């Protein structure tokens, strides 16, 4: 008779599990793509934290659940579910990381649209329809997603949001309708001034709090001043 | 706004540069400790200065309008005498660093070089009589002549750039006058700022009524106008000053620069510039006309002290009066009434991008100075945030400024489209440097408390102002350092320099110009936060 041990059969969802594990797995499955944290599992199943930890470790080993980490902590999901967008961070996250290059591309597209249409007033709908005609699927943004990108450009101080006031420029629009314009003299929008303080080394200096007239960091020893005056 | 630490350090540096280290010790004592008597200063100042020396320095600083004496009425029935105390005038000390702006940007442009020459005399000497101005002119290389001096002084007084010196030692009542007790005569308009701090009360008590402060009659002779004796200066109580430094040798009026009006003109110029940058040339011309209309209307209304110079808003004015003023200028004559109306509409419009600069009410228009200045202040703040903390921090700062309430970290990350894991570090950096306000919110069941963030504009303004004083000090110290490093080279005549020495000299000159012009522009930003 062979003395080799037969490899253990993989545990099915219903066999070889403790009662706690079954209860916890059921709870996690009920959360689908949102998953559940250890705290939520403890609260939802009334099982002690230590036992939850033991059970989740076991379920992970059995490949019945997986772990997804984000800012809110570790979430456990049943393997058959994909993590939802909120768990990954949102619309703009891919594999848990912000897709910065895609966001920058989308912002550039918005700026190009506004530049092309600078003689006209551009509403959210107009920009949205431009995105809908995009060749790449990931650039086909919804209305809400387009608004997020435009709001971000407003925060970048690249475009401004204006409300139609019935003047000749906005004659084709309802009063109060939101539209967008590029910032800058050429586009007819005003320009923010470059700050006087920001244009000298002290304005940009991260160590200004440590700088004193006679200290180790001082205007006479400052390397930023040295570079600024080195022309 | 109370003085910040580097505000004091910078003010002390200015006094040291102009009057020496002993004077700066007296000044620093007053700036740090508040109003003191001369004996207290002698006792408390760093490296004890004897009482006689303290008095000399105080007279010097009073001469140059950096200090004001005053006393407080002893309580009723008390036998004690009122003690003379001295208060440092922080704003006036800072004005010393911008005298050339008052001369070149304001007076020279408006009244010409002769008037700015007379103003220069008053700025460098602190205060002078007409006779002293004429004597000074006789000793100068380019003489103007006594008639021209007299004429220029009259123009300066008429424009309110020069005023009679205030009361030397006003006496403040010892009772705290609350708002309910203040109603004497006409109720001050709500658009004017009420005096609040001790310094403001002292200056209010020291300042004579306009008719005396800016005398209209200006006759020839030594007693040119009503002399500066105590009965004419102030409505408040007076006591005999220990030394009479209000009148000249022949009891003439003593004149000094009126910083209030000079700063006001600089503020008006700044407002026109801001409107030009944010709107257009047409709107800037309309704004200029409105400010001019405002000034002439205020002048007519100002017959007594209770009508103070407006701080936040101009007086209301009609479209007609604005247009009449506008067409006096070449640029204004090119604008039709329709264009002016369109500009006024633009200036009165509010958007999420720009607030209204003008308030329209029943066909009248009022300039909203606070709104215009706030736009420039915002630009300064956001520029610093961008340069110091980067683009993502800039978006977060602008988002929080818009929201004007506490917002949780993740929400900020979503709005600014920044990595959730990086967002707390960026926010913490800004918070550590005083650019953000932070609160922790503990929630039951959540182990790590939520962090909430907010932009508190007053706190950020104060922080920025302190840093700008610091930066201005640094620019001055660096210039001194560069000059000291090349002091031997600077002794050599320029025409005799060649090769490497000439290049070094040119490089020094370029550095000097850069440092000086940077300090000049930074001072404009300081005025945005402190004076305007």
């Amino acid at each position: 008779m062979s003395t080799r041990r037969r490899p253990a059969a993989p545990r099915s969802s219903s066999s070889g599990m403790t009662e706690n594990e079954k209860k916890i797995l059921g709870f996690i499955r009920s959360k689908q793509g949102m998953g559940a944290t250890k705290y939520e599992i403890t609260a939802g199943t009334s099982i002690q934290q230590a036992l939850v930890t033991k059970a989740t470790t076991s379920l992970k080993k059995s490949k019945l659940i997986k772990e997804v980490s984000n800012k809110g902590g570790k979430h456990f999901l049943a393997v058959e579910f994909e993590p939802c967008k909120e768990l990954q961070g949102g619309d703009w996250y891919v594999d848990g990381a912000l897709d910065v290059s895609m966001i920058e591309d989308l912002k550039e597209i918005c700026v190009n649209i506004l530049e092309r249409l600078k003689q006209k007033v551009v509403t959210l709908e107009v920009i949205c329809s431009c995105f809908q005609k995009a060749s790449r699927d990931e650039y086909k943004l919804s209305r809400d997603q387009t608004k997020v990108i435009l709001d971000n450009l407003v925060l970048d101080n690249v475009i401004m949001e204006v409300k139609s006031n019935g003047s000749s420029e906005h004659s084709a629009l309802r009063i109060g309708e939101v539209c967008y314009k590029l910032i800058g003299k050429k586009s007819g929008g005003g320009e923010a001034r470059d700050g006087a303080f920001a244009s000298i080394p002290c304005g940009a200096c991260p160590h200004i709090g440590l700088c004193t007239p006679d200290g180790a960091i001082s205007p006479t020893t400052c390397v930023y001043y040295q570079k600024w005056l080195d022309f | 706004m109370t003085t910040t630490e580097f505000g004091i350090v910078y003010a002390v540096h200015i006094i040291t540069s102009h009057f020496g280290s002993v004077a700066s010790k007296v000044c620093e004592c007053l700036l740090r400790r508040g109003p003191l008597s001369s004996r207290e200063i002698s006792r408390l100042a760093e490296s004890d200065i004897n009482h006689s020396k303290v008095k000399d320095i105080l007279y010097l600083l009073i001469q140059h309008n950096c200090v004001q004496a005053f006393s407080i009425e002893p309580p009723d029935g008390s036998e004690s005498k009122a003690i003379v105390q001295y208060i440092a005038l922080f704003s006036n000390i800072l004005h010393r660093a911008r005298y050339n702006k008052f001369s070149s940007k304001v007076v020279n442009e408006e009244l010409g070089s002769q008037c700015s020459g007379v103003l220069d005399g008053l700025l460098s000497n602190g205060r002078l009589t007409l006779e002293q101005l004429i004597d000074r002119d006789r000793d100068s290389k380019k003489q103007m002549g006594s008639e021209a001096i007299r004429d220029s002084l009259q123009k300066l007084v008429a424009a309110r750039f020069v005023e009679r010196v205030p009361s030397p030692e006003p006496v403040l009542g010892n009772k705290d006058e609350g708002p309910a007790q203040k109603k004497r005569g006409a109720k001050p308009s709500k658009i004017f700022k009420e005096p609040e701090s001790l310094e403001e009360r002292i200056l209010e008590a020291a300042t004579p009524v306009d008719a005396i402060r800016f005398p209209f009659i200006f006759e020839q002779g030594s007693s040119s106008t009503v002399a500066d004796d105590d009965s004419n200066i102030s409505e408040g109580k007076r006591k005999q000053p220990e030394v009479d430094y209000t009148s000249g040798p022949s009891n003439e009026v003593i004149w000094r620069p009126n910083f209030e009006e000079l700063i006001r003109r600089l503020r008006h110029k700044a407002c026109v510039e801001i409107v030009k940058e944010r709107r257009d040339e047409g709107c800037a011309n309309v704004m200029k006309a409105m400010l001019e209309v405002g000034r002439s209307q205020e002048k007519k209304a100002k017959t007594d002290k209770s009508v103070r110079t407006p701080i936040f808003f101009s007086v209301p004015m009609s479209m007609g009066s604005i247009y009449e003023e506008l067409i006096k200028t070449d640029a204004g004559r090119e604008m039709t009434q329709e264009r002016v109306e369109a500009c006024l509409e633009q200036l009165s419009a509010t958007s999420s991008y720009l607030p209204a600069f003008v308030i329209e009410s029943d066909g009248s228009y009022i300039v909203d100075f606070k709104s215009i200045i706030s736009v420039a202040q915002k630009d300064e703040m956001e520029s610093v945030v961008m340069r110091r903390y980067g683009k993502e921090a800039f978006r977060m700062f602008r988002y929080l400024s818009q929201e004007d309430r506490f917002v949780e970290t993740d929400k900020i990350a979503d709005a600014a489209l920044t990595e959730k894991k990086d967002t707390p570090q960026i926010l913490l950096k800004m918070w550590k440097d005083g650019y953000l306000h932070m609160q922790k919110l503990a929630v039951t069941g959540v182990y790590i408390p939520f962090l909430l963030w907010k932009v508190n504009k007053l706190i950020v303004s104060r922080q920025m102002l302190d840093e700008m004083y610091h930066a201005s000090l640094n620019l001055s110290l660096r210039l001194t350092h560069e000059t000291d490093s090349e002091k031997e080279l600077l002794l050599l005549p320029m025409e005799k320099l060649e090769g490497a020495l000439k290049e070094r000299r040119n490089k020094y000159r370029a550095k000097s110009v850069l440092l000086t012009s940077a300090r000049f522009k930074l001072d404009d930003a300081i005025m945005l936060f402190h004076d305007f």
Side-chain angles (χ1 to χ4, degrees), chain A residues 39 49 71-72 86 89-90 92-93 96-98 100 103-104 107 148-149 151-152 154-157 159-163 165 167 183-185 188-206 208-213 218-222 225-226 228-231, chain B residues 6 9 270 273-274 276-279 345 349 351-353 376 379-380 382-384 386-388 391 394-396 398-399 402 409-410 413-421 424 433 435 444-447 464 467-468 470-471 473-475 477-478 481-482 507 510-511 514-515 518 521-522 525 528:
Chain A
Y39 177 78
Q49 182 116 33
K71 171 76 175 61
E86 282 77 17
W92 315 104
Y93 281 74
L98 191 70
V100 175
I103 292 167
E104 291 303 317
K107 279 155 100 171
V148 168
I149 295 294
D151 285 347
N152 211 253
V154 169
L155 290 181
D156 276 335
N157 213 21
I159 69 173
M160 59 170 134
E161 187 186 283
V162 290
K163 282 207 169 105
N165 57 11
S167 66
I183 284 170
K185 287 260 157 75
E191 251 171 22
R193 54 171 57 177
D194 294 327
F197 184 32
S199 61
I200 61 171
C202 304
C205 182
I208 190 167
L210 302 172
C211 168
T212 55
S218 75
T220 50
T221 58
C222 177
Y225 263 94
Q226 201 52 47
W228 185 50
L229 296 170
D230 201 8
F231 41 75
Chain B
F6 267 99
V9 174
E273 267 311 302
I274 293 164
K276 191 173 169 184
E277 284 162 12
R278 293 317 198 98
R279 293 291 181 193
E345 203 180 299
S351 69
S352 57
Y353 181 62
D379 287 345
E380 282 290 336
E382 288 176 358
S383 300
V384 168
M386 172 69 111
R387 268 216 74 198
R388 202 182 280 179
K391 217 164 59 165
F394 176 72
R395 288 201 293 267
M396 291 179 205
R398 278 173 57 78
Y399 171 68
Q402 269 166 225
T409 313
D410 272 356
D414 288 338
L417 283 181
T418 49
E419 272 282 10
K420 285 192 166 109
K421 62 177 169 41
D433 292 343
Y435 281 78
T444 318
V446 177
Y447 299 127
M464 269 205 65
E467 287 182 3
M468 287 195 286
H470 190 168
L473 171 69
N474 283 354
L475 287 166
L477 291 173
R478 184 69 193 214
H481 168 75
E482 295 291 335
K507 203 167 178 184
K511 285 183 190 178
L514 179 62
L515 288 163
K521 284 184 199 142
L522 181 62
L528 276 178

Side-chain angles (χ1 to χ4, degrees), chain B residues 152 343 448 513:
Chain B
S152 300
C343 287
I448 305 165
V513 165

Side-chain angles (χ1 to χ4, degrees), chain B residues 257-364:
Chain B
N258 176 15
F259 296 121
E260 192 186 320
E261 185 63 26
L262 291 163
I263 285 290
R264 190 158 156 253
R265 297 304 180 104
L266 286 176
R267 180 166 70 132
H268 287 182
K269 284 181 182 296
C271 287
V272 172
E273 267 311 302
I274 293 164
V275 169
K276 191 173 169 184
E277 284 162 12
R278 293 317 198 98
R279 293 291 181 193
D280 55 42
E281 191 88 40
C283 289
N285 291 335
V286 168
M287 177 57 62
K288 205 169 174 181
M290 289 180 81
L291 294 172
E292 193 56 56
V293 170
R295 281 199 291 269
S296 18
Q297 287 184 0
E298 284 151 26
K299 224 175 175 173
K300 283 179 201 156
K302 269 174 115 173
T303 53
D304 68 86
K305 239 161 57 158
S306 64
V307 181
R308 299 177 64 81
T309 308
I311 307 282
F312 300 131
F313 304 101
S314 72
V315 292
M317 56 198 84
S318 64
M319 161 72 193
S321 58
I322 297 167
Y323 192 65
E324 264 176 44
E325 185 62 43
L326 189 60
I327 57 173
K328 288 180 188 171
T329 63
D330 289 338
R333 274 189 284 272
E334 290 174 17
M335 295 178 69
T336 61
Q337 198 147 358
E338 270 168 3
R339 175 86 175 97
V340 173
E341 277 171 9
C343 287
L344 285 169
E345 203 180 299
Q346 252 192 305
L347 289 167
S348 313
T350 307
S351 69
S352 57
Y353 181 62
L354 275 183
F357 290 158
V358 164
I359 300 166
E360 192 266 319
S361 170
D362 295 333
S364 285

Side-chain angles (χ1 to χ4, degrees), chain B residues 489 497-509:
Chain B
L489 179 67
L497 297 174
E498 283 176 357
L501 282 178
K502 190 172 182 183
E503 206 182 301
R504 234 173 82 190
R505 179 69 185 262
N506 287 336
K507 203 167 178 184
Y508 162 77
R509 194 173 132 68

